Amino acid sequence: LSGSMYYFNRVDQRLDRQLQTVAMVFEALAGFEHKYRYAVVGHSGDGPCTPLVAYGEAPATAKERLQAIKRMAAHTQYCQSGDTTLLAAREAVDEVKAHDAD
């Protein structure tokens, strides 16, 4: 998530594609909450971890999924510039390792 995604979306539709991808993932995992637990976070100049969907709290309804996607889009309009990709990757790996999994 970044301000450039918002700014350049009119040129290359990068934000639109990201939001569509997240929507597809939400729809694909709907009904499988008993099998898959996940979180959705973003990173931007505001920091390496912007929580959008808490771990194990998958959006249960279409309305909740839409609200999460709208939060992503809104974040890109107001976040600071900067790149926290490497720090975000480190934090994501640490977070995944902190949970029991197969």
Side-chain angles (χ1 to χ4, degrees):
L1 301 174
S2 67
S4 65
M5 292 182 87
Y6 176 75
Y7 183 80
F8 289 109
N9 190 54
R10 62 189 163 161
V11 175
D12 59 14
Q13 294 80 43
R14 65 179 84 173
L15 178 59
D16 290 343
R17 289 193 315 271
Q18 181 174 15
L19 298 176
Q20 291 165 354
T21 301
V22 172
M24 286 190 299
V25 170
F26 283 161
E27 293 301 317
L29 295 175
F32 291 98
E33 293 81 6
H34 64 285
K35 188 170 184 175
Y36 300 106
R37 296 182 69 194
Y38 63 91
V40 178
V41 298
H43 66 89
S44 66
D46 284 355
C49 184
T50 302
L52 300 162
V53 174
Y55 181 77
E57 297 180 18
T61 65
K63 181 179 179 180
E64 290 175 356
R65 293 188 284 273
L66 179 60
Q67 288 172 336
I69 290 168
K70 284 183 175 183
R71 279 194 305 275
M72 291 177 68
H75 181 80
T76 65
Q77 293 178 34
Y78 304 107
C79 66
Q80 298 293 318
S81 63
D83 186 1
T84 58
T85 303
L86 294 178
L87 185 55
R90 283 188 203 117
E91 287 192 17
V93 168
D94 291 342
E95 181 67 22
V96 168
K97 290 184 340 186
H99 297 283
D100 290 333
D102 292 343

